[in-house]
Amino acid sequence: MALVEATTERIVAAEPERVYDALADYAGTRARLLPEQFSEYEVREGGTGAGTVVHWKLQATSKRVRDCLLDVTAPAERTLVETDRNSTLVTTWTVTPAGAGSSKVVAATRWQGATGVGGFFERTFAPKGLGRIYDAILASLAAHVEGGTPQA
């Protein structure tokens, strides 16, 4: 199996702490940031940052639905890692300063892809599709924190 990776980033006009707090708020803010490809969102444990267990279904294509049960850790400052119990999928969210009052948010996802012809297509197309999904999440995040919406 080959490692498949997808990375998306965005500069957000808000302080890193505010951006990280919004991302880490699985019980409130996070569900509101998700685009239509996500369904059955449910916080099963915790709700804020490390120690949270969250479930969702991700429909990346019309035929591909991934049932995700994720353990959230925070191994470094302003970093969240979501590790899927049902697969090799791992997404790392990193928020760093990007000038006065701004932040750089990076979402990096990796997983062990299929082999053969199916694996070739997965490595070729899945990163682009997942990138579009995470672009939508980052756009929603930016709108949320830049607009001054109070944290839930």
Side-chain angles (χ1 to χ4, degrees), residues 26-27 42-55 69-72 85:
Y26 290 88
E42 176 187 21
V43 174
R44 296 199 175 162
E45 292 177 28
T48 304
T52 297
V53 177
V54 65
H55 171 266
L69 182 60
L70 302 133
D71 291 301
V72 179
R85 292 182 187 178

Side-chain angles (χ1 to χ4, degrees), residues 20-43:
Y20 177 81
D21 288 348
L23 279 173
D25 181 16
Y26 290 88
T29 305
R30 184 60 88 88
R32 294 191 301 270
L33 302 178
L34 300 177
E36 65 185 10
Q37 290 88 352
F38 290 83
S39 63
E40 298 183 30
Y41 183 92
E42 176 187 21
V43 174

Side-chain angles (χ1 to χ4, degrees), residues 68-149:
C68 300
L69 182 60
L70 302 133
D71 291 301
V72 179
T73 58
E77 184 179 16
R78 294 190 301 268
T79 299
L80 295 167
V81 177
E82 300 167 347
T83 304
D84 187 14
R85 292 182 187 178
N86 299 330
S87 72
T88 60
L89 186 85
V90 177
T91 299
T92 302
W93 297 87
T94 308
V95 180
T96 56
S102 293
S103 305
K104 178 180 177 181
V105 185
V106 178
T109 301
R110 66 182 191 284
W111 68 96
Q112 290 297 322
T115 58
V117 174
F120 169 78
F121 284 104
E122 182 179 25
R123 288 185 304 279
T124 303
F125 297 108
K128 293 174 187 155
L130 195 57
R132 284 190 294 275
I133 292 169
Y134 280 97
D135 277 341
I137 293 171
L138 292 177
S140 292
L141 173 66
H144 177 77
V145 296
E146 291 172 355
T149 304

